[in-house]
Amino acid sequence: MSKKSYLFTSESVSQGHPDKVCDQISDAILDSLLRKDPLARVAVETMVTTGLVVLAGEITLHNKEAELALSQAEQTARETIREIGYDDPATGFDYRSCGVLRALHSQSEDISQGVSKKSRREQGAGDQGLMFGFACRETRALMPLPIHLAHRLVEKLTEVREQGILKWLRPDGKSQVTVQYEGDEPVRIDTVVVSTQHDESVIDSRSKNMSTKARQLLIDKVIKPVITKERPDLWRNGICFHINPTGRFVVGGPHGDSGLTGRKIIVDTYGGRGRHGGGAFSGKDPSKVDRSAAYMARYIAKNLVAAKLAEECEVQLAYAIGVAEPVSVNIETYGTGQIDEKQLSNMVRDLFPLRPGEIIDHLRLLRPIYRETARNGHFGRTGAGFTWEKTDMVEKLKKSTAKWIK
């Protein structure tokens, strides 16, 4: 029987994309508060548009140092915008001249009583909801190839801009990668799309669009280095490139489009592979299971795949507000599992910490690690902050399943 052939596409956005600007501001404020108060309850949303930043949400703090940090939220927002690269008034959005409005207040006591007034083990979920984690063997990071490449492309865009390799680049940008599969195997990169903000210096005087030379530089300096590093076997003639396909992208960032925290949840996760529970991550402290349980679900899925118990794995966790134990744990291996999925689910309940307080302790989530997660994806990353990417449960999983696997 021939294998099914199909195309699958995922996208990513750069750190200067308006929605990602908002995610980074929200997480930068969260980090500033966790540095002073690890038990801070934070849910900060950001909106940006031409010359304006709006901060809104619920925050509960427990000491004067954290309250001082909150009083400096405007400066935190401006510093984040500067680091992203919006430091020129000519772009229509500049960290020095933009207005910052605040609409922040305390979390509802009706909600917080299910989280704050219990022991760590009995700490309830900060809200109801369902969260998914996913892993597969397509990349070394155990991430789907299309989203992995899309993230690396926007990382590279930032790198060549910040290093001055392509001086005409500006912070806003997007990538998209289409991969051809034969069955479950990626066999060819079909299409790569890169849309990136730029200044007027690369506009062709006749067409009034980005010059052919500039487009080729993006292929040579951004796309080719990424693909040849990650999957050199898939770099070949015949890839279709769409570079700034509208022709020009001078007006961009918050000046070109408003942004909101939490509007890039598919970019943040698996690029459409696997399901999504609907909850955004950025701006939320880890008592919110939208964030912490999604990280745990990825941790579980990655360890199951790393232990070779499945080639592909999706984990669903679900919670009720104020209740510590998950209301359900479900494992889906899409026919690639080495043992029965019900047995896997029971084993996960036995081996992995699934109560919110236990998740926070196990993954060390009370640290100011979140600004970095708000760009280039929350999964498939390296670094001390990304504890949910560790595969330190592999040996326990192998030992627990040895009786079922010959």
Side-chain angles (χ1 to χ4, degrees):
M1 182 181 294
S2 61
K3 296 180 178 179
K4 177 184 176 182
S5 179
Y6 63 95
L7 300 176
F8 194 88
T9 303
S10 296
E11 72 160 345
S12 185
V13 298
S14 74
Q15 65 178 24
H17 184 280
D19 295 329
K20 275 288 138 202
V21 171
C22 293
D23 287 343
Q24 290 168 90
I25 291 172
S26 293
D27 272 338
I29 292 172
L30 171 62
D31 282 350
S32 73
L33 300 176
L34 290 178
R35 286 188 185 95
K36 305 300 182 181
D37 180 5
L39 298 181
R41 298 285 180 256
V42 182
V44 174
E45 313 287 342
T46 303
M47 188 276 284
V48 297
T49 189
T50 303
L52 181 64
V53 178
V54 179
L55 308 176
E58 300 77 48
I59 297 175
T60 299
L61 304 173
H62 305 96
N63 60 58
K64 296 294 185 181
E65 291 81 4
E67 290 174 3
L68 176 60
L70 179 59
S71 73
Q72 298 169 344
E74 176 182 335
Q75 183 58 35
T76 301
R78 293 187 189 279
E79 182 64 17
T80 303
I81 294 165
R82 184 193 67 78
E83 291 175 358
I84 291 169
Y86 288 111
D87 55 5
D88 182 356
T91 66
F93 191 74
D94 172 55
Y95 78 98
R96 287 162 292 204
S97 60
C98 65
V100 180
L101 301 180
R102 295 165 47 122
L104 302 168
H105 57 85
S106 296
Q107 183 185 45
S108 164
E109 284 296 325
D110 294 348
I111 295 174
S112 64
Q113 69 177 357
V115 178
S116 302
K117 296 182 179 179
K118 296 181 178 180
S119 67
R120 176 69 106 210
R121 176 172 170 76
E122 296 303 318
Q123 177 179 322
D127 199 354
Q128 70 176 48
L130 51 140
M131 302 83 207
F132 289 96
F134 184 82
C136 62
R137 302 198 69 82
E138 292 178 19
T139 62
R140 291 187 297 273
L142 303 185
M143 286 287 285
L145 183 61
I147 188 65
H148 181 74
L149 291 177
H151 284 325
R152 303 294 79 77
L153 287 171
V154 294
E155 279 182 342
K156 193 68 173 179
L157 274 175
T158 298
E159 178 185 315
V160 299
R161 174 177 60 85
E162 292 182 342
Q163 293 182 0
I165 297 170
L166 299 179
K167 298 179 184 296
W168 39 266
L169 286 176
R170 286 177 171 170
D172 195 359
K174 303 175 87 170
S175 68
Q176 187 170 283
V177 178
T178 301
V179 174
Q180 180 180 342
Y181 286 80
E182 299 290 342
D184 296 326
E185 185 69 22
V187 298
R188 186 174 68 89
I189 295 174
D190 183 85
T191 305
V192 177
V193 182
V194 170
S195 295
T196 183
Q197 189 184 13
H198 56 85
D199 65 25
E200 294 278 359
S201 69
V202 292
I203 296 295
D204 183 272
S205 60
R206 289 171 295 180
S207 69
K208 307 302 181 184
N209 290 324
M210 175 183 264
S211 68
T212 301
K213 179 181 178 182
R215 294 172 193 267
Q216 188 61 48
L217 281 170
L218 285 168
I219 294 173
D220 294 341
K221 301 295 185 181
V222 176
I223 300 174
K224 184 176 181 180
V226 167
I227 295 177
T228 55
K229 177 183 178 181
E230 299 293 334
R231 286 298 298 265
D233 57 312
L234 299 185
W235 179 262
R236 61 185 73 177
N237 292 331
I239 297 175
C240 178
F241 298 109
H242 293 293
I243 311 298
N244 278 19
T246 65
R248 57 184 284 144
F249 188 178
V250 174
V251 178
H255 182 49
D257 190 11
S258 61
L260 291 170
T261 298
R263 203 158 57 175
K264 286 291 176 284
I265 59 177
I266 300 302
V267 169
D268 284 345
T269 52
Y270 308 101
R273 284 285 296 279
R275 285 166 283 194
H276 196 292
F281 302 154
S282 290
K284 298 177 181 178
D285 75 84
S287 72
K288 281 75 171 173
V289 285
D290 277 345
R291 183 166 219 161
S292 54
Y295 291 168
M296 176 53 70
R298 162 64 177 174
Y299 178 66
I300 294 167
K302 186 173 184 180
N303 275 273
L304 290 173
V305 171
K308 299 184 178 179
L309 298 179
E311 294 293 303
E312 184 175 352
C313 181
E314 181 184 78
V315 176
Q316 186 201 52
L317 304 175
Y319 292 84
I321 187 169
V323 179
E325 285 288 345
V327 299
S328 68
V329 177
N330 184 61
I331 310 292
E332 171 64 66
T333 61
Y334 303 95
T336 70
Q338 296 296 305
I339 65 174
D340 179 74
E341 289 166 346
K342 185 175 182 179
Q343 290 175 319
L344 276 179
S345 296
N346 291 336
M347 183 180 62
V348 163
R349 280 189 178 270
D350 290 339
L351 293 182
F352 288 86
L354 301 181
R355 291 168 169 250
E358 294 173 341
I359 292 172
I360 289 168
D361 288 342
H362 189 83
L363 297 181
R364 301 171 59 211
L365 298 181
L366 295 180
R367 297 174 297 148
I369 58 173
Y370 296 106
R371 161 72 193 281
E372 187 59 34
T373 69
R375 54 187 176 185
N376 308 320
H378 292 245
F379 305 122
R381 307 282 300 280
T382 58
F386 295 88
T387 52
W388 49 93
E389 292 297 317
K390 292 183 178 180
T391 52
D392 52 356
M393 294 292 287
V394 167
E395 292 308 315
K396 286 185 179 180
L397 286 167
K398 288 181 176 179
K399 184 177 179 180
S400 295
T401 56
K403 60 185 175 183
W404 293 309
I405 299 176
K406 295 181 180 180

